[in-house]
Amino acid sequence: MEKSVTYFRVSSTEQKQKGYSPDAQKRLLWSFAQTNRFDVDMDFEDTETAGRAGRTNFMRMLEYVRENKIKHILVEKTDRLLRNFKDYTLIEDLMKECDVTIHLVKEGVSMSKDSTSNQKFMFGIKTLMAKNFLDNLSEETKKGQIEKIECGEYPSKALLGYLNVVDPLTKKNVIVVDEKNKPLVQALFKLYVTGNHSLLSLITTVEGMGLTSNIPNGRKLNKTSTAKLLQNPFYIGYFRWNKETHKGEHERLIDPDLWQKVQDVLSGKRLNNDKKHNLIPFAFKGILTCGECQRGITAELKKGRYAYYRCTKYQTNCSQPAVKEETLMERVGVLLDWQMSDDGLAYVVAGLKQSLQEKRQWHDTAYEGMVEEKLRLKKRLDRMYEDHLDEKVSESLYLSKSKEYETRIEKLETDIAKHDRADINYYDFGHKILELAKNAKKLFEMGTSSEKQEFLRYLLSNSTLRDGIPNFTLKQPFLQIAKRSPLRERSAWGG
Ligand SMILES: [Zn+2]
């Protein structure tokens, strides 16, 4: 019997709905193993909260598979396994280097290095869609946070000088003053406002006063964190979230007059003059690594207008020269100059349809569960009302119970609406993939520098630059689309 591992993942929202327990996934995988005569060596499980990929055991699983020469990974379906392209490349490497086969049990597909390009292509599309679904969820979580913000509740980790605690009465997360660090924060502001300090001397001064040893988690104040701290309106009772300032519910540590004066001192010292550097979006920034020394490739402007890319050469004796942006642009032009053949188009459409069908299945189950629950609660509420009219239920019990049901119904209604919106985004996303695949070159050329940058991040993975020549690698499913292009002989990347 060949050795295998199982991997299953559930999100915390799914867990509350029927049919999505980790046990159900596990049973499915184990029975598959039995039928196919695999020996299950180890089970790996991750739980995920909306938008936050709990992937610790995913990484452990990859390691385990390598170390123990496991040849088979059993998962329920693609979106249980992969959350993004990084995962995808990790899995692809594993298939290539260790000859591992991935069994997508519910999809009835096994992926290995010998899979057909068609199968790899479908796999790629499903990865894209899986990722998108996660993005939607995290979008929804943000919306939940916005509701909190509007009530003055800071949705994130407390700053230095404050603590996150749970109010024992209301069970709400609240932010309270951290008495231990309060003097430190106040000293920073009081000293800095004198104008006699640089950030560095400010830090040494408070350290000299024995104040910084209080900082939690062994973090140390440095120039950047201190500058950020001094500019944060949190200390005067506000907080910033998504570029907007909101009035908070927390107590202020600094007098608003003092805070404003500190801002004046800071701006007098022009701490922000490195900002203009970030205003120029370089299309290839963060996309390439050096083909000689594997360091990052950074961008700079020469003579105020020519964009150049060069290896950071961090702690190496790399010999690579800087490269003009135009050179890279030409290469991308060639790369994206594919034509969607009818065949290619049919594949994309089929891939999208299939992924939609699979999504529908689990989505519908979740959706129906919520609608049923809502109906059930409404019936109970009605019955409760009747009982109350018949004086079987006391006024106070009726009021408290009906309130409880109403809150639960409201919550379900928002969840149902969320699913509806996620659906629309999902279709929209599929449409975008298709448009992008059809018009890649045109879309790229039309885009602004920052759009180009985003576009390239979306299309490319693991691309390198050496001797002035970029070696671009397309992500799936675009790699397959390009390969199916009748123009592919002309492209520079072989494939
Ligand atoms: Zn280099």
Side-chain angles (χ1 to χ4, degrees), residues 317-332:
N317 299 316
C318 180
S319 68
Q320 293 296 315
V323 181
K324 256 193 193 170
E325 186 167 76
E326 286 160 39
T327 319
L328 301 180
M329 284 295 177
E330 271 169 37
R331 288 282 172 164
V332 171

Side-chain angles (χ1 to χ4, degrees), residues 290-295 311-313 316 318-320:
C290 176
E292 181 179 328
C293 70
Q294 283 80 49
R295 299 297 185 273
C311 175
T312 57
K313 304 193 178 183
T316 56
C318 180
S319 68
Q320 293 296 315

Side-chain angles (χ1 to χ4, degrees), residues 74 107 125 284-285 300 310 320 323 331 345 366 479 491:
L74 315 182
E107 289 162 22
I125 284 212
F284 295 89
K285 203 172 168 186
E300 64 191 2
R310 60 169 179 79
Q320 293 296 315
V323 181
R331 288 282 172 164
L345 191 67
L479 179 62
S491 59

